């Protein structure tokens, strides 16, 4: 029953996302036909003005799909609160988690790893215990596939790994990054958000160069709840930008 770690890949994106966003925006203010817009619309400066004006609906024309694995069911509960997104999630009903099928993988929180090897060993033993409980219930319920899995899964922990495909449009991604790249976000979804940001920043730098928590481009909006580490966040964001330019 292995420990697993977060991995994110960009599976698919709108071709030339900055062009379609520019076309949608220019169409609102221009008499030009669609063919003319295709030839003249793409402009990094135009996208900057669009963002500054708060005219964000054209940004919804660009969408991005991510493959995510090595994340917990605890993260799943958080990310599905972002309702302007589409999710396909590995089912614990149809996918058996028993030892005979290879056991369930799990995530170890960094705070537990920081306690040392004895704490990690204790945590892993607890995962093994829950694996045993799950296997016992699958057997007791008849080992009949989904009919058994759907109720045996009730003893599985939030640490249990899941996999998913996520699709968001660019506007929702900007909102997602503003909340989840923040140090106030829970560590696992924060790391996922930064990985996703790195991928879309490479695919569409004009759309996402200013994406991230409020402290990236201005003052922290958390008020008294601020983490006090805005400089650290800005350095991480700058490193992403410079990495993309070097590529």
């Amino acid at each position: 029953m292995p420990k697993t770690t977060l991995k994110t890949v960009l599976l698919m994106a709108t071709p030339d996302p900055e062009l379609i966003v520019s076309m949608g925006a220019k169409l609102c203010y221009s008499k030009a036909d669609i063919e003319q817009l295709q030839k003249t619309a793409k402009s990094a400066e135009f996208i900057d003005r669009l963002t500054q004006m708060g005219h964000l609906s054209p940004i919804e024309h660009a969408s991005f799909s991510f493959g995510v694995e090595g994340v917990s069911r605890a993260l799943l509960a958080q990310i599905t609160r972002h309702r302007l997104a589409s999710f396909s999630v590995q089912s614990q009903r149809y996918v058996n988690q028993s030892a005979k099928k290879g056991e369930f993988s799990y995530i170890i929180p960094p705070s537990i790893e920081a306690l040392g090897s004895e704490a990690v060993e204790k945590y892993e033993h607890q995962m093994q215990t829950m694996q045993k409980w799950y296997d016992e219930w699958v057997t007791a319920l008849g080992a009949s596939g989904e009919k058994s899995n759907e109720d045996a899964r009730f003893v599985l922990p939030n640490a249990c790994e899941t996999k998913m495909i996520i699709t968001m449009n660019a506007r929702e991604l900007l909102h997602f990054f503003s909340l989840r790249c923040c140090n106030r976000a829970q560590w696992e979804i924060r790391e996922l958000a930064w990985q996703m940001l790195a991928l879309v920043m490479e695919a569409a730098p004009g759309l996402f160069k200013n994406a991230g928590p409020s402290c990236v481009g201005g003052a922290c909006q958390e008020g008294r709840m601020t983490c006090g580490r805005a400089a650290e966040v800005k350095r991480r964001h700058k490193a992403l930008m410079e990495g993309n330019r070097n590529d």
Side-chain angles (χ1 to χ4, degrees), residues 36-101:
Q36 290 174 312
L37 288 174
Q38 284 182 298
K39 296 177 181 178
T40 64
K42 191 171 183 180
S43 166
E45 293 78 11
F46 186 77
I47 291 176
D48 286 343
R49 290 201 304 273
L50 189 69
T51 304
Q52 292 167 9
M53 291 165 57
H55 187 192
L56 301 181
S57 59
I59 295 176
E60 296 172 15
H61 290 299
S63 65
F64 301 81
S65 296
F66 306 86
V68 179
E69 59 185 29
V71 293
S72 70
R73 302 291 290 194
L75 179 141
L76 176 62
Q78 296 181 77
I79 199 167
T80 50
R81 294 172 187 160
H82 294 269
R83 293 185 292 276
L84 297 180
S86 299
F87 301 93
S88 296
V89 182
Q90 186 181 70
S91 171
Q92 287 184 336
R93 183 185 185 199
Y94 293 102
V95 180
N96 189 288
Q97 306 290 321
S98 70
K100 291 181 180 179
K101 299 292 183 178

Side-chain angles (χ1 to χ4, degrees), residues 152-205:
R153 65 182 166 172
F154 275 69
V155 300
L156 291 173
N158 270 342
C160 190
E161 184 215 12
T162 194
K163 300 177 177 68
M164 67 186 83
I165 291 175
I166 306 166
T167 300
M168 293 187 190
N169 68 53
R171 185 178 185 179
E172 176 59 15
L173 279 169
L174 290 173
H175 173 66
F176 176 74
F177 296 142
S178 72
L179 297 177
R180 302 301 187 171
C181 288
C182 176
N183 279 340
R184 292 277 298 151
Q186 184 259 0
W187 65 268
E188 188 180 19
I189 198 168
R190 183 173 69 244
E191 183 56 32
L192 172 61
W194 279 101
Q195 288 192 17
M196 290 168 64
L197 176 56
L199 291 168
V200 297
M201 197 177 281
E202 182 177 358

Side-chain angles (χ1 to χ4, degrees), residues 19-31:
L19 174 59
I20 190 63
V21 169
S22 296
M23 286 179 63
K26 280 200 170 184
L27 182 64
C28 297
Y29 305 105
S30 173
K31 291 184 178 181

